[in-house]
């Protein structure tokens, strides 16, 4: 079992760096999950207060007890905790900075979803079918719907590279075969968290699997 990196810890929470490919919560046909593996690593039960997709890497907060879990679930849902992501996408956005404000269907109900973005870089890569633009985009979530970033970018015809649910499947296949892309290029890279009356910022470098694509 891979050791999960801890960036910060106090009496209530732990800020950690989740590897790509690790499910946050256990279930059917899931042999490894953050809630179980990290609890085993620490020697006591941790409590989930928000989630990342299995294939999304990066910063997460977990609580150390049920009382703290209730507090931090509310803090995160109230937008006091700010979450920033980096995605590398196939294609380009029409505007280099903006807001995607488009409702998403969640459990049969239409929910408001808002994503702020800035395009940080674009590069051309040569594939066997011709050149493809890869865009590095920084995203800040105003709402936290399931798969929000992935769906919003897909609807803008700029899906995340190696996204197997909302991506460009033809280009994904070529990126895997010709550029050895193995994991989805989405990571939670920055958290701004209220601790002891002040905003504390946690930031990590991009995971290694981004290196050839930025």
């Amino acid at each position: 079992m891979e050791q999960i990196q801890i960036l910060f810890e106090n009496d209530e929470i732990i800020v950690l760096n989740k590897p790509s490919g690790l499910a946050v919560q256990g279930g059917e046909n899931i042999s490894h999950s953050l809630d179980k593996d990290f609890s085993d690593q620490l020697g006591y039960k941790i409590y989930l207060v928000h989630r990342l997709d299995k294939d999304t890497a990066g910063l997460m907060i977990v609580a150390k007890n049920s009382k703290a879990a209730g507090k931090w679930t509310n803090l995160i849902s109230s937008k006091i905790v700010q979450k920033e992501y980096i995605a590398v996408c196939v294609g380009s956005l029409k505007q280099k900075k903006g807001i995607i404000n488009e409702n998403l269907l969640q459990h049969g109900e239409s929910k408001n979803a808002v994503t702020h973005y800035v395009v940080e870089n674009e590069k051309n890569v040569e594939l066997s079918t011709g050149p493809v633009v890869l865009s590095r985009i920084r995203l800040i979530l105003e709402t936290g719907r399931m798969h929000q970033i992935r769906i919003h970018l897909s609807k803008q015809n700029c899906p995340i590279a190696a996204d197997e649910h909302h991506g460009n499947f033809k280009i994904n296949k070529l990126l895997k075969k010709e550029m050895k892309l193995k994991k989805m290029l989405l990571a939670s890279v920055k958290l701004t968290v209220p601790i002891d009356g002040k905003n504390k910022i946690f930031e990590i470098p991009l995971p290694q699997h981004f290196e050839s694509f930025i």
Side-chain angles (χ1 to χ4, degrees), residues 5 19 30 48 51 54 57 60 71 108 210:
Q5 181 189 12
I30 296 176
L48 299 174
R51 286 165 171 75
K54 177 182 177 181
M60 271 190 69
K71 171 185 172 180
F210 278 73

Side-chain angles (χ1 to χ4, degrees), residues 118-201:
V118 177
V119 179
E120 295 187 334
N121 185 43
E122 292 182 350
K123 65 182 285 188
N124 287 302
V125 297
E126 286 292 334
L127 300 177
S128 58
T129 54
V132 170
V133 177
L134 295 180
S135 299
R136 170 178 161 148
I137 304 171
R138 182 172 292 267
L139 305 114
I140 300 176
L141 289 180
E142 188 173 315
T143 56
R145 309 302 180 196
M146 185 184 298
H147 292 191
Q148 177 175 317
I149 290 174
R150 297 165 66 178
I151 297 171
H152 268 175
L153 289 171
S154 180
K155 285 178 175 289
Q156 301 298 311
N157 295 314
C158 192
I160 299 170
D163 185 340
E164 294 300 338
H165 292 284
H166 308 285
N168 184 320
F169 307 120
K170 181 180 177 181
I171 298 298
N172 283 346
K173 188 174 181 180
L174 291 172
L175 289 172
K176 288 180 179 181
K177 181 179 179 181
E178 299 175 21
M179 295 189 69
K180 311 306 180 188
L181 176 59
K182 296 178 180 179
K183 299 177 180 179
M184 185 173 72
L185 297 181
L186 176 65
S188 168
V189 296
K190 186 175 179 181
L191 283 176
T192 304
V193 182
I195 294 173
D196 299 329
K198 298 179 180 179
N199 279 338
K200 189 171 180 64
I201 296 173

Side-chain angles (χ1 to χ4, degrees), residues 10-29:
N10 64 12
D11 291 339
E12 293 186 340
I13 62 167
I14 296 172
V15 179
L16 60 91
N17 186 2
K18 185 189 85 69
S20 173
L22 180 64
V24 168
Q25 194 166 25
E28 190 176 353
N29 299 322

